[in-house]
Amino acid sequence: MPVETWLIFIVGFMLIGSIAALEMKDLLSAIIAVGIVGLGVSMAFLLLQAPDLAIVQFLFEIFSVVIIVRAFLKKDYHSEGEGQRNRLLGGITVLTLIAVFLLSIRLFKALPPFGKPLMTTARYYLENCASQTHAANIVSSIVLDYRGYDTLGEVTVLFTAILGALTIIRLKSKRKTEGEGQS
Amino acid sequence: MKQQPGLTLIAKTVTRISVWLIVLYGFYIIFHGHLTPGGGFAGGVVIALAFLNVMLAYGHETVTRWLNISFMHDLEPSAGALFLTMGILGIALGGGFLANVVHRGTLFNVFSSGNILVLNIIIGVKVAMGLFVVVWSLAIFRFFEGGDK
Amino acid sequence: MTLYLMCFALLLIGIYGIIVKRDLVKIIIASGIMGYASNLLLILFAYRKGGIYPILEKGKDMTGRVMVDPLPQALVLTSIVIELGITAMLIALAIRIFEKYKTFDITKIRRLKG
Amino acid sequence: MILPFFIIIPLLAAFLIALISGERDNWAIAVAVIAMLALLCLALFGFVTIGAQTQVYQMGAWKIPYTICLVLDALSAFMLVIISGIGLTALMFSVFYIRHLSTSWKYYALFMLLITGMNGVVATGDLFNLFVFMEIALFAAYALVSYGSRAEEFEASFKYAIMGSISSTLVLVGIAIVYSATSNLTMATIAQLLPQNPTVMYFAGGIFLAAFGLKSAMMPFHAWLPDAHSSAPAPISSMLSGVLIKTLGVYVLVRLFYNVLGAPPLFLKMFMIFGSISILVASFLAMGQWDFKRLLAYSSISQIGFILLGLGIGTRWAILGAIFHILNHAIFKALLFYNAGTVEMVLGTRDLRQMGNLTKILPYTTATSMCGTLAVAGMPPFNGFFSKLIIIIAAVHAGHPIYASIAVAGSFLTLVYFMKVQRYGFHGKKVIEREGVKIGWGMRTAMIILAVLTLATSLLILPGIRTAVLDPVVAVIMNKTGYITQVLGGNL
């Protein structure tokens, strides 16, 4: 089977998985379903010849499932039935999104077809990477050398996110008692 | 069970043996980031997962006692500052921000590719420490501030 | 083309989940799905028919071998980390909201007007 | 080359703050203030020296489009000055204000990261890099919005984070589509290649409009703003309302739609429509508010509407008015949020009906809030008057009398709801005993500086000063081919 068929199979599987994850009433099943979708992304990366990403996606998937389960599972959780207002909102949203989807067909026709990217910039990396950076992994050399500034930004994003999460979790505010009184 | 938080003895023993292998594998991924798939991020997450493994098996109280969390907390911004310092060194040595400052070496050697290896190690340390600190804080949160009752 | 559309549908499912779902955990899950879709779309744009992964191997002759576009892979590496960051922050916020309101249901968390 | 230092200084400050400060925040304040002063000097130096030129800084030893470039032209230098100027006053205000919330160094680290993100967005010439730095600024903003650690602050922050994650994903999809069509990420190269493919250009433009419209809170996408901006601590509200929505929203819209896409008429029309909706609806919503900070937040949406209207008209004068209004709005909205923060700190409430006889308790705050009110309502000697006047005249001149009348009506409504603030809030009849809370000199100084600036920036409209300060910025916006040739330089 060609790669494309496999990919259609995997992405279709992911579509079903994500709908299941959103619609399931049970929280643990939903988290597991979205975990499976993430592993599907990892598989798709592998098929699309991106092993770096497959590894990172796989690991981050494990990591985020662990923290989501750890954070949420022991809460006394009740899922609620869908209300009336919700159904109206849902209907409007679905119609709008279907319209966007149909419009997007024109866009994807105008883009280069699957399997034939333009490669004008990328060709330079493929040809010159080994001689210029002496790194065998071209993705690594782009991430850390040609576009190292992006990675500095990425490291900062992670630092900000972690600092932010710690601030949100462990902040002992002077106003805390007052806030508690209100809730 | 109250005196011994965490999982059973078997799980603890297995964890005790396997965690070093996992950490070793994480370092392997980091050090071969420029030759094989992987790199600082992947390796860092592997190391963080190894610590997480210990925490799941032994319980977070034990981990808090064993590991110096505030040191790990400080290691993260130091790694960030080191990354930035590498960039500034690039300016200082005349190449421009984030220019290569380390000898390039030969292709396919482990110690090659200049900045890439150094930055991979910095990122690996940073990611491992940062992610572990986040998980650790999420774990202790419920006990200190009464997340659920 | 089919793949692009399916991937775009995945994105729209994520947006649908965020707008319609009333549960904080489900909203976090939906934002994760949106992230998967955008990453996958970038990598789909990068694939070349019959291409191999962009890593040189020792002792192998690479001339004549087609490689896929490495740049989107570098971008997605960054984007995955950003996804993880936003997930961590959303989880932290959701935990604190649960601590304050004792529920994950967004319709019951409506202290703010408008 | 000064360009990378706009990112290096605040980022280094953030890492240093995280490293050296212990329990107390003294070191953090010292580092942050030094860094902000250095940034302000650097930004002013950049703005004075840049004139009509463009500086391009290429990362590492590589050449664009194979690496990331930083671009400093009059527009980005102008934004950098606004960011560091308002940032410095916000920091001054925070030093005294934030201690009643907490004394942690984390606030200052996150504040410096916010500055890093905004500086990065403004300075970059690369589409994906813009996305990355936008995320830094947003993550810092999410954490800072919930800094007060009250229930509704977490709720507002969650809402903001979710809206932000939708718009970030849309930006990423837009980048993916643009990359697929042009195989480039440098904005100047994209500006050359993308108009050859109009279908993709319009779709990508639509996605970017939705995404950055969400960030700039134009009217159909505004839902997150009143919550987030009113829940944040006052200095952060002023940073978000005064600077962040302009940097991540309006600046990026200008850069993308004028310099990269070449101002397609369809999108300009949409700017005008969304802008006028924002002006009217947000004004009416603001009139119904009794919460001081929520009222200010709605007012921000309406003022963003003025800016978008000016950008949508697209003539030279209209853009001049919009650019001038970006500066003016940053100044007076920051000032008004400081006033609101001071009142909240002293009285412990944001409800206008609970306030009264503030003239006696807080004379400086009342006086400066009068300056802010008159400026935002567009009263003659203040800066807001001139920028709104220019936009309205430009609208009439370009043959859009309806939009001009909407702008006039919006201006009048602004006056109405700010009179309500003055009438009930500051000069209300309710008598309140002064509580033991003291406002620091830094807070007072920050307010006075901004109040003086609301008058002083009116001078920018004088012809001699205008040609030196505002005209180069307008020239950059209007000149797409100039941007391309200046950035690509010899690499064409």
Side-chain angles (χ1 to χ4, degrees):
Chain A
M1 267 203 287
V3 178
E4 208 168 345
T5 325
W6 277 110
L7 279 170
I8 287 176
F9 181 67
I10 288 176
V11 179
F13 185 67
M14 281 163 58
L15 280 171
I16 297 166
S18 53
I19 292 172
L22 288 176
E23 295 301 333
M24 257 179 218
K25 289 270 180 268
D26 182 36
L27 188 63
L28 184 60
S29 323
I31 293 172
I32 289 172
V34 82
I36 290 170
V37 176
L39 296 183
V41 178
S42 179
M43 284 293 292
F45 285 161
L46 210 54
L47 285 175
L48 289 163
Q49 305 291 336
D52 281 278
L53 298 178
I55 292 176
V56 173
Q57 176 73 46
F58 183 76
L59 289 169
F60 277 7
E61 201 47 53
I62 296 172
F63 193 83
S64 51
V65 166
V66 168
I67 58 174
I68 290 179
V69 169
R70 184 122 185 114
F72 293 133
L73 211 63
K74 282 188 179 171
K75 305 276 184 285
D76 46 347
Y77 174 81
H78 305 286
S79 48
E80 312 281 332
E82 306 285 296
Q84 194 67 39
R85 189 188 67 87
N86 210 290
R87 204 169 292 157
L88 180 70
L89 179 68
I92 295 170
T93 314
V94 167
L95 285 181
T96 322
L97 292 180
I98 286 174
V100 172
F101 182 73
L102 292 179
L103 266 174
S104 73
I105 294 175
R106 268 192 69 196
L107 165 70
F108 289 118
K109 268 185 191 147
L111 289 177
F114 179 70
K116 293 188 182 61
L118 290 176
M119 300 286 287
T120 44
T121 316
R123 189 155 285 130
Y124 174 87
Y125 294 129
L126 294 180
E127 280 161 6
N128 296 316
C129 169
S131 57
Q132 285 181 341
T133 67
H134 295 220
N137 186 342
I138 297 173
V139 177
S140 218
S141 75
I142 293 174
V143 166
L144 290 166
D145 206 329
Y146 292 104
R147 295 180 69 87
Y149 182 58
D150 263 355
T151 310
L152 176 62
E154 175 186 357
V155 167
T156 315
V157 167
L158 198 63
F159 176 65
T160 316
I162 288 164
L163 190 61
L166 294 185
T167 312
I168 291 164
I169 293 172
R170 298 205 299 147
L171 197 72
K172 291 195 177 58
S173 166
K174 284 183 183 173
R175 219 162 67 182
K176 179 125 191 287
T177 44
E178 183 194 318
E180 291 288 85
Q182 285 174 3
S183 59
Chain B
M1 279 311 282
K2 266 189 185 157
Q3 289 89 344
Q4 287 199 324
L7 302 179
T8 57
L9 189 64
I10 299 169
K12 284 181 182 173
T13 316
V14 171
T15 309
R16 194 178 305 178
I17 299 165
S18 66
V19 65
W20 297 111
L21 292 175
I22 301 175
V23 170
L24 197 65
Y25 179 62
F27 277 112
Y28 172 83
I29 289 183
I30 292 175
F31 277 89
H32 288 76
H34 54 294
L35 301 176
T36 54
F41 287 99
V45 183
V46 169
I47 295 173
L49 282 172
F51 286 132
L52 181 62
N53 203 353
V54 177
M55 200 170 78
L56 289 176
Y58 284 83
H60 58 88
E61 297 95 342
T62 325
V63 173
T64 316
R65 225 178 314 121
W66 283 356
L67 298 173
N68 190 344
I69 301 286
S70 72
F71 173 69
M72 294 170 92
H73 205 312
D74 281 350
L75 215 51
E76 204 210 341
S78 350
L82 268 178
F83 196 125
L84 200 58
T85 315
M86 292 294 289
I88 299 171
L89 270 181
I91 298 182
L93 301 183
F97 190 48
L98 285 168
N100 189 59
V101 289
V102 184
H103 184 59
R104 290 281 191 191
T106 43
L107 188 63
F108 298 122
N109 274 7
V110 174
F111 293 102
S112 69
S113 78
N115 258 6
I116 296 176
L117 179 63
V118 180
L119 294 182
N120 256 334
I121 296 168
I122 291 173
I123 292 172
V125 171
K126 185 177 160 56
V127 171
M129 295 307 141
L131 292 185
F132 178 69
V133 169
V134 161
V135 177
W136 179 79
S137 338
L138 282 172
I140 65 161
F141 171 74
R142 290 180 297 171
F143 296 83
F144 283 172
E145 301 207 8
D148 58 344
K149 278 166 191 161
Chain C
M1 174 81 184
T2 329
L3 272 170
Y4 293 166
L5 280 176
M6 286 170 85
C7 193
F8 197 70
L10 195 64
L11 181 85
L12 295 181
I13 287 176
I15 293 178
Y16 162 82
I18 284 186
I19 295 174
V20 172
K21 286 293 151 189
R22 305 189 304 162
D23 188 295
L24 295 189
V25 185
K26 289 281 172 69
I27 290 175
I28 294 174
I29 287 175
S31 96
I33 290 171
M34 230 166 55
Y36 297 148
S38 56
N39 291 346
L40 190 58
L41 195 64
L42 254 172
I43 295 300
L44 284 175
F45 285 146
Y47 184 69
R48 284 167 91 187
K49 279 238 164 66
I52 58 158
Y53 48 83
I55 295 169
L56 307 173
E57 279 168 79
K58 201 171 187 176
K60 269 195 191 170
D61 187 20
M62 284 292 154
T63 46
R65 301 288 296 275
V66 179
M67 280 183 180
V68 298
D69 190 344
L71 185 53
Q73 300 195 9
L75 305 187
V76 170
L77 205 57
T78 307
S79 156
I80 291 175
V81 177
I82 292 174
E83 280 302 317
L84 190 81
I86 189 77
T87 314
M89 285 192 78
L90 286 175
I91 288 172
L93 280 169
I95 289 180
R96 287 310 292 268
I97 289 176
F98 187 87
E99 183 205 11
K100 301 279 184 191
Y101 293 94
K102 302 281 179 263
T103 179
F104 280 129
D105 190 333
I106 205 163
T107 48
K108 294 182 180 158
I109 306 168
R110 202 41 74 78
R111 190 168 293 174
L112 295 165
K113 306 142 270 188
Chain D
M1 294 301 259
I2 58 169
L3 255 168
F5 289 97
F6 284 112
I7 288 89
I8 292 174
I9 292 173
L11 193 53
L12 196 61
F15 287 138
L16 273 183
I17 288 169
L19 270 179
I20 64 173
S21 12
E23 287 297 303
R24 301 288 301 169
D25 55 357
N26 301 333
W27 281 104
I29 291 171
V31 173
V33 168
I34 291 170
M36 282 312 295
L37 277 173
L39 270 181
L40 183 62
C41 295
L42 204 61
L44 282 172
F45 173 75
F47 187 70
V48 170
T49 51
I50 197 73
Q53 306 153 314
T54 304
Q55 271 186 31
V56 181
Y57 188 92
Q58 296 167 15
M59 286 294 160
W62 318 113
K63 295 271 171 279
I64 48 174
Y66 307 113
T67 185
I68 297 164
C69 63
L70 299 181
V71 177
L72 184 71
D73 53 18
L75 176 59
S76 34
F78 180 75
M79 293 304 294
L80 286 170
V81 171
I82 294 180
I83 293 169
S84 21
I86 304 293
L88 189 61
T89 61
L91 193 62
M92 247 158 80
F93 193 86
S94 316
V95 169
F96 294 87
Y97 179 83
I98 216 70
R99 280 198 170 149
H100 86 279
L101 294 179
S102 93
T103 50
S104 169
W105 53 269
K106 287 186 179 122
Y107 174 83
Y108 297 96
L110 286 169
F111 187 87
M112 293 320 288
L113 288 167
L114 184 71
I115 300 282
T116 311
M118 291 193 290
N119 275 359
V121 166
V122 171
T124 191
D126 186 279
L127 204 52
F128 189 76
N129 192 243
L130 190 149
F131 169 75
V132 173
F133 276 85
M134 190 177 79
E135 291 298 304
I136 298 176
L138 284 174
F139 280 25
Y142 305 151
L144 285 171
V145 165
S146 66
Y147 197 78
S149 186
R150 280 189 302 199
E152 61 265 33
E153 287 167 14
F154 291 121
E155 189 191 335
S157 179
F158 192 86
K159 210 171 179 181
Y160 186 18
I162 285 294
M163 286 297 174
S165 103
I166 292 183
S167 84
S168 304
T169 314
L170 286 180
V171 173
L172 193 60
V173 170
I175 290 172
I177 288 166
V178 167
Y179 180 79
S180 172
T182 63
S183 187
N184 253 299
L185 288 168
T186 309
M187 286 203 268
T189 329
I190 292 170
Q192 268 185 326
L193 296 174
L194 197 59
Q196 294 164 12
N197 197 340
T199 325
V200 176
M201 188 185 87
Y202 279 105
F203 268 97
I207 290 175
F208 283 137
L209 183 66
F212 292 109
L214 250 167
K215 295 262 190 298
S216 64
M218 63 164 90
M219 200 60 197
F221 310 116
H222 70 285
W224 57 272
L225 186 139
D227 295 343
H229 288 197
S230 61
S231 299
I236 298 307
S237 304
S238 72
M239 282 306 277
L240 296 185
S241 242
V243 189
L244 188 91
I245 50 174
K246 298 203 191 65
T247 316
L248 301 190
V250 178
Y251 166 81
V252 181
L253 283 176
V254 170
R255 198 48 113 196
L256 282 181
F257 284 91
Y258 277 89
N259 284 347
V260 176
L261 300 185
L266 174 69
F267 289 118
L268 293 192
K269 188 99 190 151
M270 284 166 108
F271 278 180
M272 280 161 74
I273 293 169
F274 286 138
S276 42
I277 294 175
S278 304
I279 292 175
L280 275 186
V281 182
S283 297
F284 280 116
L285 287 173
M287 283 169 81
Q289 294 300 323
W290 284 104
D291 183 332
F292 195 178
K293 283 174 93 178
R294 274 184 95 76
L295 187 145
L296 291 178
Y298 276 113
S299 150
S300 286
I301 302 174
S302 135
Q303 303 300 316
I304 285 288
F306 276 101
I307 297 170
L308 286 175
L309 181 62
L311 291 174
I313 295 166
T315 58
R316 193 176 154 276
W317 278 100
I319 292 175
L320 182 82
I323 289 299
F324 194 25
H325 203 63
I326 288 180
L327 173 67
N328 296 344
H329 180 243
I331 291 170
F332 56 65
K333 193 46 64 67
L335 171 59
L336 287 166
F337 268 117
Y338 296 158
N339 295 146
T342 316
V343 173
E344 189 190 359
M345 190 173 150
V346 172
L347 300 186
T349 179
R350 300 202 299 241
D351 194 327
L352 290 172
R353 285 165 296 194
Q354 310 272 313
M355 298 176 189
N357 75 332
L358 288 172
T359 349
K360 291 204 191 77
I361 302 177
L362 297 167
Y364 288 98
T365 311
T366 315
T368 50
S369 84
M370 191 51 106
C371 290
T373 306
L374 292 177
V376 72
M379 285 291 120
F382 291 93
N383 54 11
F385 169 72
F386 296 104
S387 46
K388 283 185 184 175
L389 188 71
I390 295 172
I391 292 174
I392 292 166
I393 291 175
V396 175
H397 203 69
H400 301 293
I402 299 169
Y403 291 110
S405 49
I406 289 176
V408 172
S411 200
F412 178 71
L413 290 174
T414 313
L415 183 62
V416 172
Y417 61 75
F418 271 102
M419 276 306 119
K420 177 175 147 186
V421 172
Q422 288 296 330
R423 166 82 181 67
Y424 287 95
F426 288 95
H427 300 283
K429 298 235 163 44
K430 198 171 162 70
V431 177
I432 294 164
E433 290 302 310
R434 187 187 181 121
E435 288 173 36
V437 188
K438 272 199 279 183
I439 63 168
W441 60 268
M443 292 164 74
R444 205 172 295 149
T445 321
M447 286 190 282
I448 290 171
I449 288 175
L450 288 180
V452 170
L453 277 178
T454 53
L455 275 171
T457 43
S458 309
L459 295 176
L460 287 180
I461 208 64
L462 295 176
I465 305 176
R466 198 190 67 219
T467 44
V469 177
L470 292 177
D471 281 352
V473 182
V474 179
V476 167
I477 296 176
M478 300 285 285
N479 190 355
K480 181 190 163 183
T481 45
Y483 177 75
I484 297 172
T485 46
Q486 295 260 26
V487 172
L488 294 183
N491 301 307
L492 268 171

